[in-house]
Structure formats: C-alpha cells, structure tokens
Amino acid sequence: MKTLDGRLLFAIPKKGRLHEKCLQLLSGADIQFRKSHRLDVCLVMNLPIALIFLPAADIPSFVGNGNVDIGITGHDVVLEAGMQNKITEVQRLGFGKCALQIQVPEHGSIQSVEQLAGKRIVTSFEVLSGEYFNKLDDQLQLTGDQRTKIQYVGGSVEVACALGLADGIVNRLAESGETMRAAGLRAISTVLETEAVLIKSNTPSRADHTPLIDLVASRIAGVVAAEKYVVCSYNISREALPLAVQVTPGRRAPTVSPLEQEGWVDVNAMVLKKDCARVMDELVKIGAQDILIFNLDNCRV
C-alpha cells in the first residue's frame, strides 16, 4: 500500500486478552486513529505511524523478520515463536500477566512433574513445553518411547484431560484460576511467568525510524508509570522530615517546600499505587497532616 510508505509500522493484537489494554495504552500515549471494522490496517492521524492489527502469536515473527518495526505481544509468545534473538524487548508493560503452567486432573494420581514425565501433554505452546519436558526427560534418563509426548491443539486446551486426550496440559493461568478450576485441574509447576511486552525489530526497515520508535516507547513508558504510581502530598514538621523521607523517598528524591507556618514543610513524592494506603498510615504515625493522593494521567520518568 502506497499509503504506508515512510510510516513506522506498529503491530497491535487484533483480539484476545491484550487487545483492549493495547487500545487504552495507545489512547494514553496520544496515538490517534480511526479503525474500520473491515480493515486490519489504519493510519495514525497525528504521527507518521500505521497500525497493523495481527494475531498476537504472529506479531513476533512479523517484527523479528523486519516486516513490521515494533509491536506489542506476550513475552511467552516471543519465546514460543523463537524470535528472542531477532527482536529487542523494549519494555514490559505491566498488563496481560499470567503464568504458563503445567496442569493435571485435580483428583488424579499425578502429584509432580516427575510423575507426568513420559506421559501425554496437550498444549498450544509446543516449543516451550517441548523444551521444558526435554530437559526433564534428560534428567530422568528417559529414552525413545519413554519420553514425554507433546501434542499441539489450537484452543480449548483445558478439556484435553477430561476427553482422554492427555494426562496433563501446559496452559496459561490467569490470576483468578477460574478456568482451570472449572475444568477440574490443578497446577503442579510453572514453566514461565509472562506479561505483555513492547518489542522492536533488530533489523529495522529504516534507520530514520529510530527517533520515532524512541518517542513511542517514551510515551508508552509514561502511561505505564502513571498506572503504577500516584503522587503523595502532605505537610509535616521539619523536625520529622528525615523520618518522612524514609517513608516517601520518591523515585529520585521528594520535593520539599517551606510553608508559611514556621517549622513546617510541604512534601510531594511519587509512591507505588499499591503501597499508598500503607504509606499514608505510616505518615500519620510520624505526625504528617493534610495527606493527599493524586492519580496520574500521564508522566515521563
């Protein structure tokens, strides 16, 4: 397409667990576009970028082979595609977190991966599962027909044991674990912890795209940081300031400003959102007053 000439090609998952979060990320990074329901390519209106909507499993290959410049996909998908030497993981994005785990029937006799070795495994992650069980088989000195049998299926992996197709599966497990429990399975080992990543090609199509890639990465990093941090603002006596700095050290250092009231200061510091309740409790204990928490829409850190 001539309309793509000169544009940075940015691959986005077209559906699935990462799609909606990617759209939110693009919005936060002020990457403006309108997508037709019939087309998987659209032009960004305020930057020389074209968004290419692809299956998440295909994105590592498109980026690794230089067909697309950058993309968002899962860390596990990069490894499954064998593209880790052809791409660079620019940053982890903090969403799409899950574990690739070995699961067996909850009320079955298998209690460990050593007991599962040599049996039948069904998975959508044939490469990662093969690497894991090849090492295990070697450790247990299994040879020939004694070695673990890996069978690929494209979906509904969790029903394989109930249908008699497998003795165990290797499948993604989200934090809730609802799908696993509903299928009557339990996890006995973890192959890999994974999350969404921003990747770029090690063989870019154009060297002059580097500044634009850096700009996009910086914007995305700002959105990710804004979701992780809040700003904590409070007043405290100068005498207690050393203790306060220990509670809220900030990313580099807190901002401290004198108040009109002698002996008192105003302190502002970034703190992790997940820690803000604990931080406020500790500040109260050392005499802080007027403690406020501000959410961040965006930032550069």
Side-chain angles (χ1 to χ4, degrees), residues 230-234 243-250 269-288 291-293:
V230 293
V231 174
C232 181
S233 175
Y234 58 92
L243 291 175
V245 170
Q246 292 180 32
V247 177
T248 58
M270 291 177 69
V271 300
L272 287 170
K273 187 178 292 186
K274 64 183 180 66
D275 294 337
C276 68
R278 176 188 58 79
V279 167
M280 293 174 76
D281 293 339
E282 293 184 14
L283 289 173
V284 169
K285 289 178 183 178
I286 61 174
I291 305 170
L292 305 175
I293 296 293

Side-chain angles (χ1 to χ4, degrees), residues 43 53 59 99 101 137 150 179 208 222 228 240 263 268 274 291:
L43 304 183
F53 291 85
I59 290 176
Q101 294 198 316
D137 289 348
I150 308 291
T179 303
D208 59 353
K228 289 174 59 178
N268 288 275
K274 64 183 180 66
I291 305 170

Side-chain angles (χ1 to χ4, degrees), residues 122-258:
V122 162
T123 183
S124 297
F125 290 86
E126 197 173 14
V127 173
L128 289 171
S129 301
E131 290 174 355
Y132 183 95
F133 279 99
N134 281 339
K135 290 179 183 178
L136 184 61
D137 289 348
D138 289 344
Q139 290 172 10
L140 298 176
Q141 298 181 338
L142 300 181
T143 60
D145 291 340
Q146 295 178 319
R147 295 180 74 83
T148 306
K149 294 85 180 170
I150 308 291
Q151 182 174 342
Y152 172 84
V153 297
S156 300
V157 176
E158 62 277 356
V159 303
C161 292
L163 295 177
L165 188 62
D167 301 296
I169 66 171
V170 178
N171 201 19
R172 286 192 183 115
L173 180 66
E175 290 180 354
S176 67
E178 290 179 6
T179 303
M180 178 184 69
R181 288 192 293 272
L185 302 170
R186 60 185 172 84
I188 57 172
S189 186
T190 298
V191 175
L192 182 71
E193 299 281 351
T194 185
E195 65 182 283
V197 290
L198 175 67
I199 61 175
K200 68 177 181 179
S201 177
N202 290 345
T203 55
S205 58
R206 295 175 53 147
D208 59 353
H209 279 158
T210 299
L212 185 54
I213 292 173
D214 293 341
L215 175 67
V216 170
S218 175
R219 288 191 180 188
I220 288 176
V223 176
V224 172
E227 291 181 352
K228 289 174 59 178
Y229 289 91
V230 293
V231 174
C232 181
S233 175
Y234 58 92
N235 297 334
I236 196 163
S237 67
R238 188 171 289 277
E239 185 179 73
L241 183 59
L243 291 175
V245 170
Q246 292 180 32
V247 177
T248 58
R251 284 179 56 87
R252 179 167 295 136
T255 300
V256 180
S257 307

